[in-house]
Amino acid sequence: MSATFDADHVPGPERRMLLQACVNGARDAVGHPWLSADASVVADDAARAVAAGAHEVHVHPKDATGRDSLAADDVARWVRAMRSASPGVPVGVTTGAWAEPDVERRLAAIERWTELPDHASVNWHEAGADEVAALLLKRGVAVEAGLWDAAGFEVWKRSPVRGECLRVLIELPDEPTDTLRDHAEGMIAHVELEEPDLPILLHGEEGSTWPVFDLAVEFGVASRIGLEDTLLLPDGATAPGNAALVRAAVARLRGV
């Protein structure tokens, strides 16, 4: 396993590891003060996360009610807000089926996008993943392949666009810490067997977030941190925002 990123503006050991800020996710806006339905509010917090050491931003565009949206107007508003607040920083979005369960409507929504993100995540355990990924690539949007489980891996393994992905996102669930290492090593080994040159981003969620982040550092692969994955700092205190989570991640990286 090898490092995947070199950020010239970030000093020390953390230069060797891509760190993505996943700033909101599908969480309800009432869950945290920075989980707002206002794109400019989340963009301001994302900019602070970038200043703290994040190299990219992954965001879930929202509609006026705060629900995840793939609608062209919503995606354009949120992508523009992120880019305005953090010029030059790559911005990625979700294409999760929960935002539009019908595959044909999901494809139609992406076809209408006017403000294209730099990349978009595609969950390969969801119906229509190959079609969504192919459309994104056709439109010039890089694809992050989201693999959550063995079933998703098997679908991705057979995908005609597998080798065209920007990277593979391996997400480990909120599971007992003593199972995470084996789970991570197994998933990474399977991905590297199929696509040995494809970068990997390893991350957890909720209780697995910080243990998996530490594994990513140990393995030398990319990772991410932000309010999408956890609301808590490593000591269990509620994070005041994404910047605090990024600072904690950078501190752990520097401690290696």
Side-chain angles (χ1 to χ4, degrees):
M1 290 174 252
S2 60
T4 59
F5 189 79
D6 187 10
D8 291 339
H9 67 286
V10 181
E14 59 270 29
R15 292 184 64 218
R16 297 188 296 273
M17 177 179 175
L18 183 144
L19 181 58
Q20 186 182 85
C22 50
V23 294
N24 59 352
R27 293 185 186 273
D28 195 301
V30 301
H32 192 281
W34 288 110
L35 294 175
S36 173
D38 186 332
S40 64
V41 171
V42 178
D44 286 345
D45 193 38
R48 282 186 282 272
V50 169
H55 309 122
E56 295 186 356
V57 172
H58 172 75
V59 68
H60 288 212
K62 309 287 183 179
D63 62 18
T65 69
R67 295 173 60 87
D68 280 11
S69 173
L70 302 181
D73 289 348
D74 295 325
V75 171
R77 183 174 67 258
W78 281 76
V79 171
R80 281 198 299 264
M82 299 301 134
R83 287 178 171 154
S84 177
S86 303
V89 174
V91 175
V93 302
T94 183
T95 62
W98 59 85
E100 178 45 77
D102 183 87
V103 174
E104 292 306 315
R105 287 199 292 267
R106 200 181 325 150
L107 292 168
I110 294 169
E111 188 70 66
R112 288 192 291 267
W113 287 358
T114 56
E115 186 79 27
L116 297 178
D118 296 281
H119 49 77
S121 59
V122 177
N123 299 319
W124 247 269
H125 64 279
E126 295 175 349
D130 283 348
E131 293 85 350
V132 169
L135 176 57
L136 289 166
L137 292 168
K138 178 183 175 182
R139 301 215 61 200
V141 179
V143 171
E144 296 181 304
L147 303 183
W148 290 7
D149 54 24
F153 169 79
E154 289 299 323
V155 178
W156 173 79
K157 179 180 175 180
R158 298 189 297 271
S159 174
V161 299
R162 182 188 76 195
E164 298 178 59
C165 293
L166 171 68
R167 65 177 70 100
V168 172
L169 308 181
I170 297 177
E171 177 171 343
L172 301 190
D174 185 1
E175 62 185 17
T177 303
D178 58 2
T179 68
L180 290 173
R181 178 178 291 273
D182 288 346
H183 192 171
E185 289 179 338
M187 287 289 286
I188 289 173
H190 280 86
V191 169
E192 290 186 335
L193 183 64
E194 302 301 327
E195 293 289 344
D197 297 324
L198 201 59
I200 289 171
L201 188 155
L202 177 68
H203 73 99
E205 61 177 5
E206 305 302 353
S208 71
T209 299
W210 291 109
V212 173
F213 179 83
D214 290 342
L215 287 175
V217 175
E218 178 185 340
F219 296 160
V221 298
S223 193
R224 75 181 202 183
I225 197 67
L227 295 173
E228 173 173 351
D229 290 343
T230 183
L231 304 180
L232 303 178
L233 294 166
D235 64 2
T238 299
N242 282 292
L245 290 168
V246 170
R247 283 192 294 271
V250 170
R252 292 171 88 80
L253 185 52
R254 284 177 172 160
V256 174

